[in-house]
Amino acid sequence: IRRVYLVCEKQKWCYIAIQKVAGTSIRYAFLQHVGAPHKENGNLREELEPWRLTQVEVLRRQDLYRWGFIRDPRERLVSCWLNKIASDKPDPFCTWRVNQFYAMNFNDFVRAVCDTAPEEMDQHFAPQAMFLTYKGLPLYDELFRLNQIQTAWKKLQGKYGLPDLPHVNKTKKTDWREHFDSELEKIVLDKYAEDI
């Protein structure tokens, strides 16, 4: 699983990125904040490399304010399915771990994902706890819920002078409840119990 922890050394903070939790938008804002140029292709791996930390570094860096956003795993799976699986064509930036499910219906996709061991999952649907902890220890000081991103972002802007948050890699807005029956929801709640 590709984990992205971005550090702003000047202001002593670290952003914990989780895919399908406004990650692309926040990474664009991060690059703008640190004054780094970036391509407009949505794949920012090379551009972000100078600011990346490992999990061990994040855990050891008690001098940093470590923050991130989290999302209800049911909503996150719907977003992943709409954006990566039910799209017009496979995403060229995704690994086979995502593209193997391309064109599956939602029910089959969720069941297949939930049958996969967490360490075998792609970062787009791996449990968020895998990004937020290391050997059972928290890597974060504060987490914000994605559905409160506007309020949380204003707080971060006030504290660090962050730029306005762009809305990049938008997924069609839909109510996640429309995609679940009670059986499928139980499967997800069991698999992502730590995230819940």
Side-chain angles (χ1 to χ4, degrees):
I1 292 174
R2 187 174 172 273
R3 295 170 174 90
V4 178
Y5 307 98
L6 301 175
V7 64
C8 179
E9 289 289 0
K10 185 177 179 183
Q11 296 176 316
K12 296 297 182 198
W13 55 262
C14 175
Y15 160 62
I16 301 168
I18 300 176
Q19 282 75 7
K20 301 313 301 169
V21 189
T24 303
S25 297
I26 297 171
R27 286 182 294 225
Y28 271 101
F30 176 88
L31 286 170
Q32 183 181 343
H33 183 66
V34 296
H38 61 275
K39 302 174 200 156
E40 296 292 330
N41 66 359
N43 184 9
L44 304 174
R45 289 178 187 164
E46 291 175 21
E47 289 91 335
L48 293 168
E49 203 56 42
W51 293 277
R52 287 190 57 184
L53 296 177
T54 66
Q55 282 184 301
V56 173
E57 290 169 327
V58 174
L59 184 62
R60 288 181 178 161
R61 294 288 306 272
Q62 296 301 310
D63 62 322
L64 299 175
Y65 166 64
R66 302 160 304 171
W67 57 272
F69 284 87
I70 54 173
R71 188 176 196 177
D72 184 301
R74 295 162 292 191
E75 184 180 22
R76 187 168 170 244
L77 282 170
V78 170
S79 178
C80 181
W81 179 74
L82 287 169
N83 186 250
K84 306 292 182 193
I85 310 305
S87 61
D88 295 337
K89 58 185 181 212
D91 188 328
F93 297 121
C94 284
T95 68
W96 66 270
R97 292 176 195 261
V98 171
N99 289 331
Q100 68 178 325
F101 302 122
Y102 177 69
M104 266 190 186
N105 70 47
F106 182 72
N107 195 300
D108 291 344
F109 165 68
V110 170
R111 289 174 185 276
V113 164
C114 289
D115 282 342
T116 305
E119 62 275 5
E120 297 297 320
M121 289 182 168
D122 183 83
Q123 60 263 19
H124 289 88
F125 42 78
Q128 294 165 89
M130 294 178 76
F131 300 87
L132 299 170
T133 60
Y134 180 70
K135 296 190 181 282
L137 298 170
L139 297 176
Y140 58 88
D141 295 302
E142 189 167 12
L143 297 174
F144 305 99
R145 293 182 183 275
L146 183 63
N147 61 0
Q148 298 170 338
I149 192 167
Q150 296 305 324
T151 303
W153 194 255
K154 285 197 183 312
K155 173 184 173 181
L156 293 165
Q157 281 184 304
K159 192 171 183 178
Y160 299 113
L162 297 176
D164 288 340
L165 189 64
H167 197 166
V168 184
N169 199 21
K170 296 179 190 179
T171 302
K172 183 180 135 196
K173 204 73 170 152
T174 183
D175 186 343
W176 64 265
R177 293 170 193 85
E178 296 172 8
H179 299 273
F180 283 90
D181 59 26
S182 58
E183 181 186 355
L184 195 62
E185 186 173 7
K186 182 179 183 331
I187 291 169
V188 171
L189 294 177
D190 289 345
K191 184 70 175 186
Y192 293 91
E194 195 171 355
D195 285 2
I196 295 292

